[in-house]
Amino acid sequence: MKLKNDMQLFFAEKIEGETAFLSETESRHCLKVLRKKEGDCLQVTDGRGICYTGELFIIKKRLAAIGKLAVVDQQERRHPLLSLAIAPTKNNSRLEWLLEKAVEIGLDELQPFVSKHSERRKINERRLSDIAVSAMKQSGRYQLPEIQPLVKLEDLLDSQIDGKVMNLVGSQSSDMDISEIDLSGKNKIRLFIGPEGDFSEEEWSLMHQKDFVFVNLGNFRLRTETAGMVGVTLINSLINKI
Amino acid sequence: MKLKNDMQLFFAEKIEGETAFLSETESRHCLKVLRKKEGDCLQVTDGRGICYTGELFIIKKRLAAIGKLAVVDQQERRHPLLSLAIAPTKNNSRLEWLLEKAVEIGLDELQPFVSKHSERRKINERRLSDIAVSAMKQSGRYQLPEIQPLVKLEDLLDSQIDGKVMNLVGSQSSDMDISEIDLSGKNKIRLFIGPEGDFSEEEWSLMHQKDFVFVNLGNFRLRTETAGMVGVTLINSLINKI
């Protein structure tokens, strides 16, 4: 499935005038791993929809930049945005692969939360950001998904009063198929996936009160990260049809 | 998302009369890891749709069986069956997690193949079978997906003359959405996913001649295992609507 890509894609958060400044991580990847040389022609994205080509130059020993930028391609942000609110898995690597896959597919935002039965109450935001950057580049996207800070589920539920956000929650007892959902007038679709130990009774009840839409994700019992993956795939497919 | 399950589910290939004989692996898991004792009440599936309860007894030191079986639940095989034909990934663990997820979702068959640009030309069938068993039990399924032996893609393509098998292939240049496919009259839907280096020109051309349906799996460039995952999720969702 991987298309041939003649030029490597880099990411630069900081673009000033005609110059994109690579971070230390991106510079190391560019200079040490891929052994790019001054004057090489590279592609770089700002993670906000634009892809440029330009020429590599070295600012100092371990820091690279890409100059003489010219826009070569653009991607508009799709609407509605696709957000995944999920309790981090006990095993870090399961959340990490979910993020990698979800970014390839089209995720716009990851919102980790801690709920009553969460087994993991800390995340490595920096590592998740690096995975998002890497998956964005690998999949040829120019939009970098946002990794939100970890919050308490109750705080997240309290803040949900925007009528343009549609909140879905994966529930095995629901018969509602994601393909039946009406996305019109929404600017964000947020899917909530509970922790390995499931949401608590109070949490389910609060989501009911907040008019969450309970959606079915399949016939069988899914692991947390599989449920996230299935939900993101099905909602993404629905957004693509708009 | 994980439901509470009061009783652990085991798998036994060999069931004779009222007794299910656990394999060495299942016996070890039962006796050493879960520390089950003689007389404990357990659930066991034959992987062909039936779930029994019964009483644990020990045949000899490391071999367990479950006796006094009584059927407690059944799952019919869905039709059409969902088969994934895929080139094993260079990195084994990527194929392994794809299999785990695909089994949780509803996969019925994995058909690994070697094609012109395949980087990996061997698989560990035993390990894949163990993963399939583990994912089946974890997801509460009673149907064990089949892991077919690794074959050459050309041999697989030569053998496709059964009109009841619909062959799909993931292709980024296709506009065909999986949700538009008509599954009626088919008894198997098989999705082909190419290797990291993509199918060769000859392979694409052969699939065209064989009336394969080229389907789009999304907007961005997907890794082999992500493409497999997305395809399985979307086809599974379509089968569930029949």
Side-chain angles (χ1 to χ4, degrees):
Chain A
M1 280 300 293
K2 202 161 128 189
L3 292 189
K4 283 178 191 77
N5 209 354
D6 295 314
M7 267 189 279
Q8 189 79 27
L9 180 63
F10 293 90
F11 166 63
E13 215 161 351
K14 187 178 165 196
I15 294 186
E16 287 176 7
E18 287 193 345
T19 306
F21 297 88
L22 302 190
S23 67
E24 278 183 39
T25 311
E26 283 290 276
S27 295
R28 188 168 52 242
H29 187 63
C30 179
L31 303 175
K32 292 281 169 190
V33 181
L34 300 170
R35 296 170 179 273
K36 298 294 179 188
K37 304 290 176 208
E38 274 206 320
D40 280 358
C41 184
L42 302 177
Q43 287 188 344
V44 59
T45 175
D46 59 0
R48 294 184 297 276
I50 301 181
C51 178
Y52 305 87
T53 51
E55 256 180 43
L56 177 66
F57 68 93
I58 293 166
I59 303 174
K60 55 183 188 181
K61 203 177 168 194
R62 287 176 185 170
L63 227 45
I66 300 174
K68 300 182 188 169
L69 293 181
V71 174
V72 282
D73 201 4
Q74 298 199 34
Q75 287 168 2
E76 296 287 325
R77 266 236 189 260
R78 288 181 314 171
H79 281 278
L81 297 178
L82 171 47
S83 173
L84 176 63
I86 193 161
T89 49
K90 192 174 166 190
N91 177 335
N92 266 332
S93 67
R94 292 187 174 265
L95 178 63
E96 290 173 6
W97 86 237
L98 167 61
L99 178 63
E100 176 185 293
K101 301 306 157 211
V103 172
E104 287 178 58
I105 291 166
L107 189 74
D108 296 298
E109 182 184 66
L110 183 77
Q111 174 60 73
F113 65 78
V114 172
S115 62
K116 193 172 172 196
H117 299 154
S118 285
E119 296 196 64
R120 175 167 297 277
R121 289 163 184 276
K122 280 186 184 170
I123 53 166
N124 186 337
E125 257 181 70
R126 177 60 191 268
R127 189 165 157 76
L128 293 178
S129 290
D130 286 348
I131 289 169
V133 167
S134 162
M136 171 189 71
K137 295 190 299 178
Q138 197 276 331
S139 61
R141 285 185 73 177
Y142 310 140
Q143 302 278 5
L144 182 64
E146 284 193 55
I147 309 294
Q148 302 291 355
L150 188 68
V151 293
K152 284 186 189 162
L153 177 60
E154 54 194 85
D155 294 343
L156 198 57
L157 294 180
D158 273 347
S159 68
Q160 297 319 312
I161 45 164
D162 182 344
K164 298 211 161 187
V165 176
M166 175 179 271
N167 290 302
L168 310 179
V169 56
S171 159
Q172 241 201 350
S173 57
S174 167
D175 289 329
M176 176 82 171
D177 196 287
I178 284 180
S179 65
E180 293 162 26
I181 290 168
D182 178 13
L183 304 181
S184 56
K186 300 297 174 187
N187 60 21
K188 189 191 277 190
I189 311 299
R190 175 155 37 194
L191 173 67
F192 283 76
I193 298 290
E196 276 103 335
D198 208 349
F199 291 114
S200 70
E201 285 304 319
E202 296 76 16
E203 288 163 350
W204 281 118
S205 157
L206 198 53
M207 290 188 285
H208 259 298
Q209 287 165 34
K210 294 272 179 178
D211 291 332
F212 274 43
V213 180
F214 289 60
V215 293
N216 183 274
L217 298 173
N219 325 20
F220 306 113
R221 193 167 58 210
L222 302 177
R223 284 177 189 271
T224 296
E225 75 279 8
T226 316
M229 177 81 190
V230 166
V232 165
T233 301
L234 296 175
I235 298 168
N236 186 68
S237 164
L238 198 61
I239 294 175
N240 279 347
K241 283 180 204 156
I242 293 178
Chain B
M1 280 301 293
K2 203 162 127 188
L3 292 189
K4 282 177 192 77
N5 210 353
D6 295 314
M7 266 188 281
Q8 189 78 28
L9 181 63
F10 293 90
F11 165 63
E13 214 161 352
K14 187 177 165 196
I15 294 186
E16 288 176 7
E18 288 193 343
T19 306
F21 297 88
L22 301 190
S23 67
E24 279 184 39
T25 311
E26 283 289 275
S27 295
R28 189 167 50 242
H29 187 64
C30 179
L31 303 174
K32 292 281 169 190
V33 181
L34 300 170
R35 296 170 179 272
K36 299 292 180 189
K37 304 289 176 206
E38 275 207 318
D40 281 357
C41 184
L42 302 177
Q43 287 188 343
V44 60
T45 175
D46 59 359
R48 293 185 298 276
I50 302 181
C51 178
Y52 306 86
T53 51
E55 255 181 45
L56 178 67
F57 68 93
I58 293 166
I59 303 174
K60 55 183 188 180
K61 204 178 168 194
R62 288 175 185 169
L63 227 44
I66 301 174
K68 300 182 188 169
L69 293 181
V71 174
V72 282
D73 201 3
Q74 298 199 34
Q75 286 167 2
E76 295 287 324
R77 268 239 186 258
R78 288 182 313 171
H79 282 277
L81 297 178
L82 172 45
S83 174
L84 176 63
I86 193 162
T89 49
K90 191 176 167 189
N91 177 336
N92 267 333
S93 68
R94 293 187 173 265
L95 178 63
E96 290 172 6
W97 86 237
L98 167 60
L99 177 63
E100 177 185 293
K101 300 307 157 210
V103 172
E104 287 178 57
I105 292 167
L107 189 74
D108 296 298
E109 181 185 66
L110 182 78
Q111 175 60 72
F113 65 77
V114 172
S115 62
K116 192 173 173 195
H117 299 156
S118 285
E119 297 197 62
R120 175 168 296 279
R121 288 163 185 276
K122 281 186 182 169
I123 54 167
N124 185 337
E125 256 181 72
R126 177 58 189 267
R127 189 164 157 77
L128 293 178
S129 290
D130 286 348
I131 289 169
V133 167
S134 164
M136 171 189 71
K137 295 190 301 177
Q138 196 276 332
S139 61
R141 285 184 73 177
Y142 311 139
Q143 301 279 4
L144 182 64
E146 284 194 56
I147 310 293
Q148 301 292 353
L150 188 68
V151 292
K152 284 187 191 162
L153 177 60
E154 54 196 83
D155 294 343
L156 198 57
L157 294 179
D158 273 346
S159 69
Q160 296 322 310
I161 45 164
D162 183 343
K164 298 210 161 185
V165 176
M166 175 178 272
N167 290 302
L168 310 180
V169 56
S171 159
Q172 242 202 348
S173 56
S174 167
D175 289 330
M176 177 80 171
D177 197 288
I178 284 178
S179 66
E180 294 163 25
I181 289 169
D182 178 12
L183 304 182
S184 54
K186 301 297 175 186
N187 60 21
K188 189 191 276 192
I189 311 298
R190 175 157 37 195
L191 174 66
F192 283 76
I193 298 290
E196 276 102 337
D198 208 350
F199 291 114
S200 70
E201 286 303 320
E202 295 76 15
E203 288 162 350
W204 281 118
S205 156
L206 198 52
M207 289 188 286
H208 260 297
Q209 288 165 32
K210 294 272 180 178
D211 291 331
F212 274 43
V213 180
F214 290 59
V215 294
N216 182 274
L217 297 173
N219 324 20
F220 306 114
R221 193 167 55 210
L222 302 178
R223 285 178 189 271
T224 297
E225 75 278 9
T226 316
M229 177 81 190
V230 166
V232 165
T233 301
L234 296 175
I235 297 167
N236 186 67
S237 164
L238 198 61
I239 294 174
N240 279 346
K241 283 180 204 156
I242 293 177

